[in-house]
Amino acid sequence: MGIIRVISYNIHKGRTATGGRESLEELKLGLYGLSPDLLFLQEVQGRNDQQATLDAQHESLAAVLRMRNAYGCNAVREFTDHGNALLSRYPILHHENEDISDHRLEQRGLLHAVVDIEGRPVHCIVVHLGLFGGGRARQAQALVDRIHRLVPDDEPLLIAGDFNDWNNKLAPIFVKQLGLYEVFSFASMVKGKTGPGFTLRQPMSWLRGWSKQDGSEIHTPQLGVDGNARLTLPPRTFPAAFPFLRLDRIYQRGFAVRTAKVLQGLPWKQISDHAPILTELELP
């Protein structure tokens, strides 16, 4: 089976990092050049009654990229709504949006879709978790419960989005309870034209995850590709112009990770306030 190119991106409702102007056209051009197979998008406007150019962003992106799409509406305003979206080059068999809002000031959801990749069902969940630690923990537990309830252990799983998990406290939950690993955990550092990234040099026979408190961040020691233990942290993705916080993630189960990188520099630092993550995966 061939390489699957997966991108996770908080698109900031189709506006630049500062919100001063629209960036949807630049976004379309940038994504077109990357030829993604699966796009996990957050802060997508499904409706904008005041600016037609920002309306139905999941549909306009899908049309340009020639991809199928599913949209999960989370926040409804008088003239707009926004939520998560999945764009797929593969058939989307079905999808559901689960409300995981922790309080009325933040509307959040889990967009869960099942796509058919060459006859194999692959579960794709787009997430955008809350700003407060207690709420994130409860939302992460809702995600764990949903997976235990609806995703068979032998079916591939991808979870991607804006976790707002700047102190990396959620990683042990996904490792221990779901057997999920963040894609950068499988790779060693390289430098690429699009910014810092990682690539896989050889298959990994096994990974072991456990956590400990180290200052403000929880480090997750795992085995590197050379067989030695090392500390692995997710990449910095926010703000896009000078990434400082580790907010965005792609977790996977059932794939071989070939490459993973954060897209930095132009045009990405201007399109949104988050930097996108690109990973190349392969189904064994």
Side-chain angles (χ1 to χ4, degrees):
M1 189 170 290
I3 295 296
I4 301 166
R5 293 173 64 85
V6 180
I7 293 175
S8 179
Y9 201 4
N10 182 325
I11 67 170
H12 202 217
K13 303 175 186 176
R15 305 194 69 87
T16 55
T18 61
R21 63 178 179 84
E22 297 179 19
S23 60
L24 198 59
E25 294 306 311
E26 297 163 78
L27 174 64
K28 292 175 182 177
L29 184 62
L31 292 177
Y32 184 86
L34 295 175
S35 300
D37 297 303
L38 291 169
L39 271 172
F40 293 70
L41 302 177
Q42 308 89 54
E43 291 196 19
V44 178
Q45 286 196 339
R47 175 177 62 92
N48 190 319
D49 295 336
Q50 294 180 313
Q51 293 176 271
T53 52
L54 294 178
D55 186 53
Q57 294 173 0
H58 56 297
E59 294 180 355
S60 61
L61 283 167
V64 168
L65 299 173
R66 297 182 180 179
M67 300 175 77
R68 301 163 177 88
N69 71 88
Y71 173 64
C73 177
N74 297 328
V76 179
R77 306 288 186 263
E78 182 179 1
F79 298 108
T80 66
D81 65 55
H82 68 270
N84 300 321
L86 178 78
L87 273 62
S88 173
R89 231 172 265 289
Y90 308 101
I92 298 176
L93 301 179
H94 55 84
H95 69 275
E96 181 182 21
N97 196 54
E98 178 180 345
D99 185 357
I100 57 166
S101 302
D102 194 61
H103 52 84
R104 63 184 180 85
L105 297 180
E106 287 186 288
Q107 291 79 45
R108 307 290 183 178
L110 302 174
L111 177 61
H112 181 180
V114 179
V115 303
D116 182 340
I117 300 182
E118 297 184 15
R120 297 184 64 180
V122 175
H123 294 260
C124 300
I125 303 179
V126 194
V127 306
H128 188 184
L129 302 186
L131 297 174
F132 302 101
R136 283 197 303 276
R138 288 184 286 273
Q139 290 164 352
Q141 189 58 53
L143 174 59
V144 169
D145 293 343
R146 181 177 185 88
I147 291 169
H148 283 321
R149 188 172 69 251
L150 298 175
V151 182
D153 292 341
D154 61 346
E155 293 185 356
L157 172 62
L158 287 168
I159 304 175
D162 179 357
F163 286 76
N164 274 313
D165 185 25
W166 58 270
N167 52 10
N168 203 34
K169 288 187 175 181
L170 299 180
I173 297 174
F174 298 130
V175 172
K176 291 180 178 181
Q177 297 191 37
L178 297 172
L180 287 161
Y181 290 91
E182 198 265 339
V183 292
F184 287 83
S185 299
F186 285 81
S188 57
M189 177 66 99
V190 296
K191 295 288 184 179
K193 293 181 180 179
T194 52
F198 296 73
T199 185
L200 188 68
R201 293 188 301 219
Q202 63 187 40
M204 298 178 64
S205 58
W206 61 287
L207 282 168
R208 181 181 61 201
W210 56 276
S211 63
K212 69 177 181 178
Q213 187 71 32
D214 182 6
S216 63
E217 295 182 308
I218 289 182
H219 292 213
T220 306
Q222 297 175 344
L223 289 183
V225 292
D226 56 1
N228 296 319
R230 64 190 179 89
L231 294 177
T232 302
L233 285 173
R236 304 177 191 273
T237 59
F238 181 89
F242 44 92
F244 178 72
L245 296 178
R246 310 172 192 274
L247 301 187
D248 302 273
R249 308 276 199 281
I250 300 177
Y251 289 96
Q252 66 82 30
R253 187 175 75 192
F255 291 86
V257 180
R258 297 309 178 199
T259 64
K261 63 178 66 176
V262 179
L263 305 183
Q264 298 178 355
L266 293 173
W268 308 109
K269 70 178 184 179
Q270 295 179 339
I271 291 176
S272 172
D273 56 347
H274 286 247
I277 295 174
L278 167 65
T279 186
E280 293 182 322
L281 308 173
E282 187 173 3
L283 276 172

